[in-house]
Amino acid sequence: MNGKTPKESRTIMTEIVLPNDTNALHNLRGGKILHWMDIASAIAAGKHANAVVVTASVDNVSWENPIKLGDVVTITACVTRVFNTSMETHIEVWAENLPSQTRYKCNEAYYTFVALDSNGKPKKALELIPETDEEKRRYDEAMARRELRLVLAGRLKLQEAKYLQKLFG
Ligand SMILES: CC(C)(COP(=O)(O)OP(=O)(O)OC[C@H]1O[C@@H](n2cnc3c(N)ncnc32)[C@H](O)[C@@H]1OP(=O)(O)O)[C@@H](O)C(=O)NCCC(=O)NCCS
């Protein structure tokens, strides 16, 4: 087999918001959500690559809705594209208030991981084979997102970012 599908890396993590996870407004702290997102997406990347992975970057994250004390949080992550040694993952965070049966979206983000070999050096990861229309759309759009994060990290010159140039003309 030359690659794996996003479904094979799909990771679902469930947590409950406890008092120690909240701020003074009794909402889940942003840093705690980022931590859970990092864990879920690292597991997804690790499952895809069958390797130890490290977080290389976290794209911008914004919060659509606060998550309340006592609510149940579901974090879903999967690999959207493999570049070479690095992999982009997409993460969605939803919360649910069990007594009222209300489900609401908190946020989503892209995290990038690098697969490492047994010497701690970056190693090539298996290809990703997108199947559904949404998986194919995220896969196609991933090259521009990769260029943007590499430009922002000072690893790529804007003039060399051909997918970004195509997007912005
Ligand atoms: C990420 C890391 C492994 C890259 O190592 P490196 O020696 O710079 O290796 P390379 O230049 O070969 O880059 C390896 C890959 O990382 C990608 N990468 C590096 N920095 C990146 C960034 N800021 N954003 C996205 N991708 C990045 C490169 O594009 C390359 O991807 P590719 O092989 O798919 O083209 C290294 O910088 C590192 O270990 N950083 C610390 C990671 C860490 O501690 N994370 C937090 C705890 S898990």
Side-chain angles (χ1 to χ4, degrees):
M1 189 174 63
N2 294 325
K4 285 186 185 174
T5 64
K7 205 165 44 193
E8 289 173 88
S9 68
R10 197 153 184 265
T11 300
I12 301 174
M13 195 168 123
T14 310
E15 296 280 349
I16 186 161
V17 182
L18 296 172
N20 207 27
D21 303 325
T22 60
N23 60 22
L25 300 169
H26 305 296
N27 295 329
L28 178 59
R29 284 182 292 111
K32 191 74 190 183
I33 307 179
L34 293 173
H35 172 67
W36 287 342
M37 291 165 81
D38 188 47
I39 292 175
S41 53
I43 293 171
K47 274 203 243 178
H48 180 89
N50 291 123
V52 171
V53 298
V54 287
T55 318
S57 69
V58 173
D59 289 9
N60 64 306
V61 184
S62 42
W63 317 106
E64 291 170 31
N65 288 298
I67 301 180
K68 296 284 171 199
L69 176 64
D71 285 358
V72 171
V73 183
T74 304
I75 301 132
T76 309
C78 67
V79 175
T80 51
R81 184 155 182 160
V82 172
F83 304 111
N84 181 33
T85 65
S86 68
M87 290 158 277
E88 182 190 76
T89 60
H90 177 250
I91 308 122
E92 265 193 25
V93 182
W94 286 74
E96 187 175 0
N97 180 268
L98 297 181
S100 67
Q101 297 178 26
T102 325
R103 218 173 150 256
Y104 54 98
K105 187 175 168 190
C106 172
N107 68 341
E108 61 184 303
Y110 292 95
Y111 282 37
T112 302
F113 293 87
V114 175
L116 302 181
D117 65 16
S118 53
N119 297 313
K121 299 283 175 222
K123 76 163 194 178
K124 193 166 171 45
L126 269 184
E127 294 283 307
L128 185 90
I129 305 163
E131 290 182 316
T132 67
D133 287 349
E134 189 187 341
E135 288 166 3
K136 287 176 185 164
R137 178 181 60 75
R138 289 194 195 283
Y139 181 94
D140 289 341
E141 293 169 354
M143 288 309 286
R145 286 191 298 269
R146 167 182 163 89
E147 286 186 347
L148 182 58
R149 63 180 76 98
L150 292 179
V151 167
L152 291 174
R155 286 180 159 257
L156 179 71
K157 291 197 176 79
L158 192 53
Q159 307 87 278
E160 291 162 12
K162 59 180 192 233
Y163 290 90
L164 275 184
Q165 284 172 14
K166 222 189 286 175
L167 214 62
F168 294 108

